[in-house]
Amino acid sequence: MIDTVIFTIAGHPVLLIDLISSILGLTCVVLAGRNSKYNFWVGYLYTAALFFLFWNRNLYASLLLQPISLAINVLGHYRWTHPKKEEATDKGALKVSTLTWPQRIYCIAAVLIVAGLWGFILDRMFPEDPHPYLDCSVTVLILMAQLLSALKKWDCWIAWLLVNITQLALHISVGNVFMPIVSGLYLANGIWSLITWKKLYARNG
């Protein structure tokens, strides 16, 4: 059932699991951009949908990352709803904060090192992958963006924008039609959320 073709765009089939995961993913980030803790409940469903999507397409490397994404989602759900006293707003929610410049440099270095090593391994294990280093860079950057989102760092939206732009270019390069549309919606939400969280940081800082 999950591989049922719902419709086609320019001759490219869009499966039911593609549509479900796209709707859940967009709902999750829209709720996060609006500072809603309910984004985590949608995130649990999104992780499950991605599991089936990657299983259906034999993308086992991406599938194996879903437990990590789930763990980050659980961490974020707890941090957003159980902030320390000095981290809480008047309503008891976790405040938006930012990384220091040393922390930003550390995050960038971590993404580059992990993505480089992982890309090197995948390039030799799966030579049919046309973009192993780009695939790994996007995946590691997504995990970093998720972690920063879980900690409610404003900088997460910078990471998400980089993810959205890279994914948009990647989907276009391989001839996908449906996913660039979805990536464009993610990009628009990322820009809006970047501005919104900056206002929240200024208000609660």
Side-chain angles (χ1 to χ4, degrees):
M1 180 178 178
I2 60 174
D3 58 354
T4 301
V5 176
I6 304 299
F7 54 86
T8 60
I9 300 179
H12 294 269
V14 176
L15 305 182
L16 176 61
I17 190 61
D18 294 330
L19 188 60
I20 291 175
S21 59
S22 297
I23 291 174
L24 288 174
L26 284 169
T27 303
C28 184
V29 296
V30 167
L31 288 174
R34 282 153 181 75
N35 197 29
S36 172
K37 63 183 179 182
Y38 296 108
N39 82 86
F40 294 105
W41 292 111
V42 179
Y44 297 131
L45 297 176
Y46 182 46
T47 300
L50 287 180
F51 182 90
F52 286 113
L53 186 151
F54 294 138
W55 179 275
N56 186 58
R57 294 184 178 174
N58 300 318
L59 297 174
Y60 299 117
S62 296
L63 183 144
L64 291 174
L65 287 175
Q66 294 317 299
I68 300 177
S69 293
L70 178 60
I72 292 175
N73 201 58
V74 172
L75 169 66
H77 198 169
Y78 181 82
R79 289 288 289 122
W80 278 43
T81 55
H82 296 79
K84 297 177 182 178
K85 185 175 181 180
E86 65 273 13
E87 298 175 328
T89 64
D90 294 338
K91 297 181 179 180
L94 181 66
K95 291 181 180 179
V96 174
S97 58
T98 64
L99 296 174
T100 63
W101 276 107
Q103 289 173 331
R104 288 169 180 163
I105 293 172
Y106 174 81
C107 288
I108 293 171
V111 168
L112 293 176
I113 292 172
V114 174
L117 291 174
W118 191 14
F120 179 82
I121 294 172
L122 284 186
D123 189 33
R124 279 144 185 80
M125 292 180 61
F126 305 101
E128 66 275 11
D129 189 332
H131 307 290
Y133 288 96
L134 183 57
D135 287 347
C136 291
S137 296
V138 172
T139 302
V140 175
L141 191 57
I142 287 173
L143 291 176
M144 179 61 73
Q146 288 179 334
L147 179 59
L148 294 178
S149 298
L151 300 176
K152 216 168 193 179
K153 298 294 183 180
W154 170 82
D155 310 75
C156 75
W157 294 109
I158 299 293
W160 281 124
L161 289 179
L162 293 174
V163 169
N164 301 150
I165 293 171
T166 305
Q167 285 187 324
L168 184 62
L170 183 60
H171 288 308
I172 292 174
S173 71
V174 298
N176 288 339
V177 178
F178 177 64
M179 291 310 297
I181 297 174
V182 176
S183 295
L185 294 174
Y186 275 116
L187 182 60
N189 179 75
I191 295 172
W192 186 90
S193 300
L194 184 76
I195 298 171
T196 301
W197 276 37
K198 192 67 173 179
K199 293 179 179 178
L200 288 173
Y201 173 70
R203 184 188 309 162
N204 298 321

